[in-house]
Amino acid sequence: MLNIRNVKMEDLSEITIIESLCFPIEEAATKETFEMRIRVIPDSFFVAERKGAIVGFVNGPVIETPYITDDLFREIKANPLTGGHQSVLGIAVTPHFQTRGVAAALLAHIEEAATAKKRETITLTCKEDLIGFYEKFGYNNMGVSKSEHGGVIWYNMVKKLTL
């Protein structure tokens, strides 16, 4: 059974390991970045556990615009109580649990939380090979992002929330 909960500082080492397994070093968030996100946005940072072990996570701040900008990877501020756009700066699932519905459960969880707080959209960027994955969950491809994060081409994916 999968349990999804808000992040705690004690999760830092497991999260950092999963990130390093899922992303190349140029794209991966650092331990320091995760420490900041855990401190500043624990209300939009969720971990998925199976039998007490973290198998995946999703996180991102609420932003004022519908698209992610590169400055968010360096600096974020606390989420407003309501409104705005829920970003997803990272979603990662440990390789052994990929293709088992963990990412889908994490996306559903952050969407429920965003809807409850009257967010307008959920927004993320992904590489071209993942566009179809996100489209299955109702995200629309809004074209190539201005992001230069990690030196790769990213696509803006946005899902309008029903308020």
Side-chain angles (χ1 to χ4, degrees):
M1 169 131 178
L2 199 62
N3 176 49
I4 299 177
R5 62 169 174 78
N6 288 84
V7 71
K8 298 183 281 195
M9 196 57 78
E10 302 88 82
D11 302 327
L12 181 61
S13 61
E14 284 180 89
I15 288 166
T16 305
I17 290 167
I18 293 169
E19 180 84 350
S20 71
L21 293 171
C22 295
F23 294 97
I25 196 163
E26 303 82 25
E27 299 169 27
T30 64
K31 179 180 177 186
E32 293 74 24
T33 297
F34 282 129
E35 282 181 290
M36 177 180 60
R37 292 179 192 172
I38 292 168
R39 267 196 328 274
V40 178
I41 56 163
D43 55 326
S44 60
F45 194 145
F46 304 102
V47 297
E49 293 178 313
R50 183 137 195 281
K51 296 182 180 178
I54 295 174
V55 297
F57 62 87
V58 63
N59 70 92
V62 175
I63 58 178
E64 294 175 7
T65 62
Y67 299 124
I68 290 172
T69 53
D70 283 349
D71 61 310
L72 295 172
F73 293 103
R74 296 180 298 277
E75 178 178 327
I76 55 171
K77 56 186 177 187
N79 294 328
L81 292 178
T82 60
H85 303 268
Q86 176 64 63
S87 72
V88 174
L89 294 185
I91 182 166
V93 175
T94 191
H96 183 68
F97 280 87
Q98 290 175 2
T99 71
R100 295 185 185 193
V102 176
L106 285 163
L107 285 172
H109 191 85
I110 200 166
E111 182 178 331
E112 287 170 26
T115 300
K117 293 184 177 181
K118 298 181 177 15
R119 311 297 185 208
E120 294 177 50
T121 66
I122 298 184
T123 183
L124 57 88
T125 57
C126 71
K127 294 178 190 167
E128 187 173 18
D129 63 324
L130 287 172
I131 291 172
F133 172 79
Y134 290 108
E135 286 176 336
K136 286 191 299 189
F137 297 102
Y139 288 79
N140 294 303
N141 179 0
M142 306 306 285
V144 175
S145 169
K146 292 180 182 173
S147 176
E148 297 176 354
H149 181 71
V152 298
I153 296 172
W154 299 97
Y155 290 81
N156 287 313
M157 302 296 291
V158 177
K159 181 175 185 175
K160 183 109 172 97
L161 296 177
T162 306
L163 301 179

